[in-house]
Amino acid sequence: MDIERKLIKRASLGKLVEQLRAEGKVVLAPKKKKNVVFFEPINTIDEMSTDYIATTQSPKAAAFPKSDRILKFENGKEGIKFEGQPTSVYPETVVLGLRPCDATGFDSLTAIFNWDYKDQLYNDRLAKTTFIGISCASCDAYCFCTSVKGGPGNTHGTDILLTAVDGGDFLAEIVSEKGKKLAVSGQQYFEADSGADKEKFLANVPVKFDVDTLVPKAQNSFESPVWLEQSLRCIGCGACAYVCPTCACFDMQDETTGSKGQRVRCWDSCGFGLFTLHTSGHNPREVQSARWRQRVLHKFSYMPERLNVVGCIGCGRCSRACPVDMNLSEHLVNLAEA
Amino acid sequence: MDDLRKKAKDLLESQAVNVIIGYGEGTSGAVRAIFPRKAEETDKLIYDDRCTQNLAVYLMKHEIKHMEKKGIVATIPAMRSILQVASEYQLKEDELVILGIGPDGKLVDIPGFKAMEDYLATQDFGIQEDDKAILRKIDAMSMEERWSFWKDELSPCFKCYACRAACPMCYCTRCFVEVNTPQWIPISANEIGNFEWHLLRAMHLAGRCINCGECGRACPLEIPIHLLTYKMTEDVQTDFGVTAGLKADMPSVLSTYKLEDKETFIR
Amino acid sequence: MYKENIYLPYLMNIERVTEEAPFVKTFRLKFANEEEGKQFTYKTGQFGEWSVFGEGESTFCIASAPTREGYIECTFRQAGRVTSALASLGEGDQIGFRGPYGNVFPIEEWYGKSLLFIAGGIALPPMRSVIWNCLDLRDKFKDITILYGARAVKDLVYKQELEAWKNMPDVNLHLTVDPGGETPEWKGEVGFVPTILDKVAPASKDCIAIVCGPPIMIKFTFPVLEKLGFADNMVYTTLENRMKCGIGKCGRCNTGSVYICKDGPVFTREQLKGIPAEY
Amino acid sequence: MAEFEPRIVAFVCNWCTYAGADLTGTSRIKYATNVRIIRFPCTGRIDFMLLLKAFGNGADGVMISGCHPNDCHYTSGNFHARRRWMIFRRLLDFAGIDHRRIIFSWVSAAEGAKWAQVVNTAVEEFRQLGPYDNYHAASKEPLEREVING
């Protein structure tokens, strides 16, 4: 579909949010609490923060929440009754203010969740979600989207991409059918394109490495000593994985009260020591270096090989969230130059 | 800083240690832990105001534990962690060389645990004023306000366990949240599960926390969880007169008792 | 929109419980919904996610042979949260089962050849599915040799079936227990599996070896097979790693870029040599 | 409206309070029926986690009772427990969890009458406090929020 250019005034964006809410849609937008920015439901645009490079928490929860019910069960006298989570209750959702890199992140998630077996929970949530992205006018030292074939104004993955242009109004690029539908239902808020030069308003994100060189190198680096060297200071928490927009590893757990309960899927991290522990006590990834290697290679070797997609979008969240300054792009540069 | 580098270099050259756990330059003005294992790498060691991470956490890390003799750049919180962990029989004195750093940022000569105890006895290490102010603010709240405060603070927690990973005292190979027969604490990060996790983690640090504040600093969501253990160190001090991390052979507060322990609530 | 929730298990009724060894039980299971049972098919080598509602899921192989219709069986050792809960259940109770997942033993490719099964301890269950499958198609194969070892006599699983195999004229069965694990009545071999394999020395010509056991047993068995002349592509094994989903999503079981749940669990030794050993 | 009947879980030690409660019964002393007693080998074994679990599963009040100081069957279990409760009680208070809903007592095997009196008083106090709504609300259907918000 051809991208259609429109203009939306800042005030109109607020009215659009009000209309979406009036239609019963959940609008998730960046909200700031201290220095941390989350995607949370908003009622009016005033609640939305614009003061962020990338949000602390990625928008992946829109389609892959930190805890998600798979099924409910009940142990009764006549045996066990269970039913899968009906996905019809998932709300129509609009994610406003995600970055172009974030939108690309759903490619990685989709590749994983649809690898042969199609994951209904994820797909049904995603199908009900519309993404209104906002291009990046600035970046910081952790950003490296341009190194993984992204860009601060990339339209891929968003349904509508807004770019703040002169005077604070937004250039609105209507990218997908979903975007078009939304733009039509709120057509009074979209005006004719002013012809602004989008590129002029985008951040300049330097390219740190060439991903096409990196991937083949990563594929041959399993035995490399870099993993131990890089990961000595890693303390094995899951902060990087939990803020990552493409990390999809999960755990499945049963939670019960009395005779009733539910089976839940919740986020997990390959960085945790017990992630791969066998019941026998044997652990294939006994040490942190093996776990760090798994994290990097999963994104830059295994996913490209098996799913034809690089599992990283260069948002830099992992490095910002890391309590011990494990800087991913720096390590990738090392690897690419090794 | 030159003193530090020189001492580290000497230690590695004389093979008195196999590794130095210290601070180096990180990215974008950040500081990170570095692990020089060759004398020439000691030039990368730094020490300044930005060096706040409690490096004692690495003494418990599998890969580093197995490097046998280690030197560690230890600020006062790190020294206290070392003594505390040693009192729990997790560290041997002869495997460690301390490169002590005083409050003025200068190298202090700490030849052993005894010297460390003596040095710490001369130091002042209360809870920092800003944290103290928040503690008093919470104390002054009504019970309902405190409940709302913590509910609000803990609700974003997604259980990445950075607080646990950053803590030198959280060295269990299997934490109570990972004990699953039965499963006590919910794995999923839900409201009450987050309460249970943080309160019980704090309890497991009762009489052991040395107020380095790493847990709060490590939290990617800026949840002030360190306040829980800070409050508890105050309580342990009030009730039992004990301060953690001052002696290498101090019995644990909660596995000992006194006949005269005074409470007012048992009927 | 995708219609089906891929994590929904089948509800299974426990028809029979067999105590195999200390802490080891076999469940014979029937589909609570007969229609589901009729549509269900699987092949030997595949595994599933077995669940106790309220405790969670656990991964292990289907221990019955697809040639035996109308039920499936699983054998498990009581070890963790789920298997302990399973062990507390009895006939008439219900559990969940998701599957079948993973690849299969290519039995059709083995037609006309001899078969050598080598198993240790609790690793006989995945093998038992293959053994019965092949025995049910006995005339398709030449010699069938089974070498099975356990730590002690009491730890040998499927004791009745071992007896049955012993009495089959066209099956060579060698049982062994580790030194010290024998009882006064023990008539089998005493010694570790690789040692006994070396002693029995089956001919490698036109023979497929299927090996399954603890890592230490595998480690010492492979060189013996090599010595006996078994080519790497004639040696099969089945791997296990911790899993949650069983279908390539949860991110646990991969060893390098190979996912044990999807590319395995059955591998030839030749394939194993080409992948990192994260298992 | 019927009077609110608090649900109470009592964690008691096997050697003193459990025997004491038994004596209350055999002595035909009537007392409030709101208490579900859970017997432990010793107060030293009553993990602090269990208190939170009791509230999470719907209790409005919790009672903990064991041997008087110096009477512990295992010599010092109750002394250890006492230290733990001193700290835990303050921590709960700091977290905004209502420590008035946890009542501690020493009740010996001979104090059947005391047990009845302790329970009756506790029930009355818990009744005054009302149901522990905010804790129960937080523990109920923990995933409902995530499911709705996506």
Side-chain angles (χ1 to χ4, degrees):
Chain A
M1 161 179 164
D2 285 340
I3 295 176
E4 198 183 343
R5 285 170 60 116
K6 294 268 190 190
L7 182 103
I8 184 163
K9 291 224 163 76
R10 201 166 271 269
S12 307
L13 186 61
K15 292 203 181 108
L16 180 65
V17 168
E18 280 165 34
Q19 182 188 319
L20 293 169
R21 291 291 298 128
E23 287 167 7
K25 294 190 171 80
V26 172
V27 180
L28 299 175
K31 258 190 183 176
K32 198 161 193 168
K33 189 175 169 185
K34 288 180 268 187
N35 299 307
V36 183
V37 186
F38 301 94
F39 278 98
E40 279 191 2
I42 59 164
N43 288 312
T44 69
I45 193 121
D46 305 334
E47 297 169 49
M48 178 177 165
S49 166
T50 50
D51 176 23
Y52 62 96
I53 302 282
T55 52
T56 311
Q57 186 62 284
S58 89
K60 78 174 166 191
F64 176 41
K66 64 181 178 182
S67 310
D68 203 6
R69 185 188 300 130
I70 293 169
L71 56 88
K72 268 186 174 179
F73 58 83
E74 188 173 354
N75 287 308
K77 280 203 185 90
E78 281 105 58
I80 292 157
K81 279 199 209 113
F82 67 90
E83 65 162 343
Q85 171 64 30
T87 56
S88 56
V89 303
Y90 295 162
E92 290 283 343
T93 303
V94 176
V95 181
L96 171 64
L98 77 167
R99 296 301 186 192
C101 57
D102 295 341
T104 322
F106 288 94
D107 286 357
S108 305
L109 294 178
T110 303
I112 292 169
F113 284 119
N114 285 351
W115 191 18
D116 296 353
Y117 295 84
K118 309 271 184 277
D119 190 299
Q120 182 202 27
L121 307 175
Y122 170 81
N123 283 292
D124 284 3
R125 275 191 200 274
L126 191 65
K128 285 186 166 183
T129 308
T130 307
F131 296 113
I132 306 181
I134 298 181
S135 307
C136 302
S138 55
C139 64
D140 67 10
Y142 296 107
C143 290
F144 61 102
C145 58
T146 48
S147 310
V148 286
K149 300 190 173 171
N154 263 22
T155 52
H156 177 83
T158 49
D159 298 304
I160 297 178
L161 181 67
L162 307 178
T163 306
V165 294
D166 284 329
D169 296 337
F170 293 101
L171 160 70
E173 292 171 280
I174 321 280
V175 183
S176 71
E177 289 300 334
K178 262 192 213 165
K180 199 169 172 182
K181 213 173 132 199
L182 194 146
V184 167
S185 79
Q187 55 182 320
Q188 64 271 38
Y189 306 120
F190 291 87
E191 298 169 27
D193 173 26
S194 66
D197 177 13
K198 178 182 163 191
E199 292 302 316
K200 224 173 77 187
F201 302 98
L202 297 179
N204 181 19
V205 185
V207 177
K208 295 185 177 177
F209 58 85
D210 173 25
V211 73
D212 292 329
T213 321
L214 175 70
V215 167
K217 281 205 170 151
Q219 280 165 344
N220 289 313
S221 66
F222 193 86
E223 302 293 346
S224 166
V226 297
W227 307 119
L228 177 66
E229 212 43 57
Q230 293 181 351
S231 69
L232 267 179
R233 70 178 177 280
C234 174
I235 52 176
C237 73
C240 49
Y242 284 16
V243 297
C244 176
T246 65
C247 271
C249 289
F250 60 81
D251 190 359
M252 284 163 69
Q253 288 285 335
D254 282 14
E255 295 177 346
T256 335
T257 317
S259 61
K260 289 182 185 172
Q262 55 189 0
R263 186 158 294 162
V264 178
R265 161 161 84 188
C266 37
W267 293 353
D268 208 339
S269 165
C270 60
F272 292 146
L274 305 191
F275 186 66
T276 53
L277 181 72
H278 293 194
T279 314
S280 65
H282 168 65
N283 192 347
R285 296 191 204 118
E286 184 93 63
V287 290
Q288 202 58 36
S289 50
R291 304 193 274 267
W292 167 250
R293 171 177 63 197
Q294 162 66 18
R295 181 171 159 76
V296 177
L297 290 188
H298 186 228
K299 293 178 181 309
F300 290 92
S301 164
Y302 312 154
M303 283 180 66
E305 184 187 329
R306 303 304 303 268
L307 304 173
N308 213 9
V309 59
V310 172
C312 174
I313 56 160
C315 66
R317 282 191 179 86
C318 50
S319 316
R320 285 183 209 103
C322 181
V324 294
D325 196 34
M326 293 289 285
N327 189 307
L328 182 62
S329 64
E330 178 193 321
H331 290 143
L332 293 173
V333 170
N334 279 347
L335 199 59
E337 286 169 359
Chain B
M1 211 143 81
D2 289 340
D3 293 353
L4 178 67
R5 286 178 185 162
K6 187 175 177 310
K7 185 162 182 193
K9 196 173 174 190
D10 290 348
L11 286 170
L12 283 171
E13 260 169 3
S14 64
Q15 294 178 335
V17 299
N18 300 322
V19 61
I20 301 280
I21 305 168
Y23 301 99
E25 286 294 342
T27 39
S28 310
V31 163
R32 62 169 59 152
I34 60 167
F35 305 88
R37 273 156 289 164
K38 296 193 190 93
E40 60 269 26
E41 294 167 350
T42 52
D43 290 346
K44 293 193 181 127
L45 286 170
I46 59 163
Y47 184 81
D48 58 37
D49 291 348
R50 298 170 298 155
C51 301
T52 49
Q53 191 190 356
N54 183 344
L55 296 180
V57 69
Y58 292 112
L59 295 172
M60 297 290 128
K61 185 173 164 175
H62 185 276
E63 285 96 327
I64 293 165
K65 216 172 185 169
H66 289 81
M67 290 181 184
E68 291 171 358
K69 294 210 77 168
K70 312 162 264 278
I72 178 167
V73 177
T75 53
I76 287 175
M79 290 185 216
R80 291 184 61 198
S81 304
I82 290 167
L83 287 183
Q84 182 59 33
V85 172
S87 79
E88 294 165 13
Y89 308 102
Q90 301 298 318
L91 268 186
K92 287 198 193 101
E93 187 171 10
D94 55 7
E95 280 183 4
L96 269 191
V97 176
I98 311 291
L99 291 85
I101 302 276
D104 55 358
K106 298 241 166 61
L107 199 62
V108 200
D109 189 36
I110 310 269
F113 284 173
K114 181 75 186 61
M116 194 142 70
E117 289 172 2
D118 294 344
Y119 175 73
L120 287 174
T122 66
Q123 297 298 312
D124 179 33
F125 38 72
I127 294 170
Q128 278 142 1
E129 286 308 319
D130 48 341
D131 282 324
K132 221 177 224 167
I134 311 175
L135 285 177
R136 296 297 80 83
K137 204 180 102 192
I138 300 171
D139 281 342
M141 290 177 185
S142 73
M143 195 181 64
E144 283 75 17
E145 285 168 340
R146 283 198 291 269
W147 170 259
S148 310
F149 172 84
W150 283 110
K151 211 167 103 156
D152 188 45
E153 288 289 356
L154 296 179
S155 66
C157 172
F158 47 27
K159 293 207 180 137
C160 70
Y161 300 123
C163 42
R164 177 181 74 183
C167 176
M169 255 56 82
C170 276
Y171 51 73
C172 293
T173 46
R174 193 154 205 158
C175 174
F176 68 95
V177 281
E178 279 142 358
V179 173
N180 67 354
T181 43
Q183 184 78 44
W184 286 108
I185 308 285
I187 300 277
S188 63
N190 58 42
E191 199 164 11
I192 215 67
N194 288 350
F195 252 97
E196 288 176 344
W197 155 238
H198 288 293
L199 287 182
L200 298 179
R201 191 186 96 86
M203 267 310 277
H204 282 228
L205 287 163
R208 306 173 57 226
C209 172
I210 54 93
N211 304 344
C212 66
E214 274 301 303
C215 46
R217 238 188 331 272
C219 180
L221 305 179
E222 297 190 9
I223 305 172
I225 26 187
H226 59 289
L227 296 176
L228 292 169
T229 49
Y230 276 26
K231 170 71 180 165
M232 224 165 35
T233 47
E234 288 187 339
D235 296 342
V236 168
Q237 180 63 25
T238 317
D239 284 348
F240 313 120
V242 176
T243 305
L246 295 183
K247 288 215 148 49
D249 58 353
M250 190 185 72
S252 159
V253 173
L254 284 194
S255 53
T256 51
Y257 65 92
K258 282 199 173 120
L259 291 179
E260 59 273 21
D261 285 339
K262 194 86 201 112
E263 45 65 34
T264 53
F265 55 86
I266 303 182
R267 298 176 180 183
Chain C
M1 297 261 175
Y2 298 93
K3 289 263 154 21
E4 208 154 313
N5 184 333
I6 47 178
Y7 306 105
L8 282 192
Y10 297 110
L11 191 61
M12 310 295 287
N13 294 326
I14 302 175
E15 292 279 312
R16 199 169 78 191
V17 180
T18 316
E19 301 257 2
E20 304 287 2
F23 302 105
V24 179
K25 282 181 179 172
T26 297
F27 283 173
R28 176 168 292 190
L29 302 158
K30 282 195 172 153
F31 286 80
N33 178 332
E34 274 181 45
E35 212 39 54
E36 287 176 348
K38 278 185 196 141
Q39 284 169 21
F40 179 83
T41 57
Y42 70 103
K43 287 189 166 178
T44 180
Q46 292 190 291
F47 66 93
E49 294 289 337
W50 314 79
S51 59
V52 177
F53 292 90
E55 298 297 339
E57 295 186 319
S58 184
T59 315
F60 35 90
C61 66
I62 305 172
S64 50
T67 43
R68 308 290 170 94
E69 286 171 10
Y71 64 85
I72 60 169
E73 286 181 332
C74 66
T75 300
F76 58 91
R77 170 153 50 197
Q78 181 184 340
R81 179 182 178 190
V82 177
T83 47
S84 300
L86 277 173
S88 70
L89 299 179
E91 283 156 26
D93 287 334
Q94 293 182 311
I95 66 168
F97 165 73
R98 267 193 309 127
Y101 298 134
N103 70 350
V104 304
F105 284 104
I107 290 181
E108 290 83 0
E109 292 174 21
W110 301 344
Y111 287 174
K113 295 193 166 71
S114 295
L115 302 176
L116 167 64
F117 295 98
I118 306 167
I122 186 71
L124 189 58
M127 201 81 101
R128 172 200 188 223
S129 170
V130 205
I131 294 175
W132 278 119
N133 196 339
C134 294
L135 288 176
D136 288 342
L137 306 165
R138 184 64 190 88
D139 52 350
K140 305 249 189 225
F141 304 99
K142 289 197 276 186
D143 299 343
I144 290 188
T145 310
I146 302 170
L147 167 55
Y148 175 47
R151 212 168 269 172
V153 176
K154 67 174 175 16
D155 294 321
L156 292 163
V157 298
Y158 303 133
K159 293 196 177 66
Q160 289 177 354
E161 288 163 61
L162 295 176
E163 198 61 32
W165 294 339
K166 199 166 89 184
N167 295 331
M168 288 183 183
D170 49 1
V171 172
N172 304 310
L173 178 72
H174 302 274
L175 296 178
T176 181
V177 293
D178 291 355
E182 69 271 27
T183 54
E185 303 82 42
W186 178 244
K187 297 216 172 53
E189 307 272 0
V190 175
F192 296 110
V193 168
T195 322
I196 305 303
L197 175 66
D198 201 19
K199 198 173 120 188
V200 175
S204 60
K205 191 173 176 303
D206 275 343
C207 183
I208 299 285
I210 303 105
V211 189
C212 192
I216 189 81
M217 184 201 101
I218 304 254
K219 190 181 158 191
F220 291 103
T221 302
F222 278 164
V224 180
L225 285 172
E226 204 168 296
K227 198 180 98 183
L228 293 171
F230 284 84
D232 286 344
N233 61 358
M234 304 287 267
V235 178
Y236 286 81
T237 187
T238 163
L239 295 183
E240 56 175 25
N241 248 359
R242 187 160 180 189
M243 295 178 195
K244 289 285 175 177
C245 69
I247 47 181
K249 311 202 184 303
C250 76
R252 265 173 192 71
C253 71
N254 64 307
T255 161
S257 63
V258 171
Y259 282 71
I260 290 181
C261 63
K262 284 171 66 72
D263 307 313
V266 176
F267 293 93
T268 62
R269 194 180 172 210
E270 191 178 20
Q271 288 170 319
L272 286 189
K273 281 188 168 171
I275 60 176
E278 282 186 305
Y279 48 84
Chain D
M1 208 178 89
E3 208 169 15
F4 164 65
E5 290 298 339
R7 288 202 279 177
I8 304 169
V9 179
F11 299 107
V12 305
C13 98
N14 176 44
W15 303 98
C16 292
T17 306
Y18 191 82
D22 213 19
L23 180 64
T24 322
T26 50
S27 317
R28 301 281 184 267
I29 304 172
K30 278 200 176 146
Y31 68 107
T33 53
N34 307 46
V35 174
R36 307 281 175 279
I37 291 182
I38 299 177
R39 177 162 60 150
F40 279 74
C42 177
T43 39
R45 169 63 186 84
I46 304 170
D47 195 294
F48 33 82
M49 180 142 54
L50 298 168
L51 277 68
L52 295 181
K53 288 289 156 195
F55 288 130
N57 282 289
D60 302 299
V62 168
M63 297 180 68
I64 298 187
S65 188
C67 310
H68 285 274
N70 290 319
D71 282 354
C72 178
H73 183 80
Y74 309 99
T75 318
S76 61
N78 54 358
F79 287 125
H80 284 104
R82 182 169 69 182
R83 276 208 159 186
R84 213 179 298 154
W85 307 129
M86 287 166 74
I87 296 298
F88 193 50
R89 202 165 165 275
R90 287 178 188 263
L91 181 66
L92 291 180
D93 187 40
F94 185 67
I97 293 171
D98 192 349
H99 67 69
R100 294 170 300 174
R101 294 177 183 273
I102 307 174
I103 286 176
F104 298 84
S105 57
W106 305 135
V107 173
S108 79
E111 294 176 321
K114 179 176 176 184
W115 177 245
Q117 181 249 323
V118 168
V119 171
N120 287 336
T121 319
V123 169
E124 211 32 63
E125 289 176 21
F126 295 150
R127 191 172 281 146
Q128 295 300 320
L129 292 170
Y132 198 0
D133 288 333
N134 60 10
Y135 203 95
H136 296 159
S139 352
K140 214 174 174 187
E141 290 290 340
L143 283 172
E144 217 57 70
R145 209 167 47 133
E146 280 83 346
V147 170
I148 300 305
N149 282 350

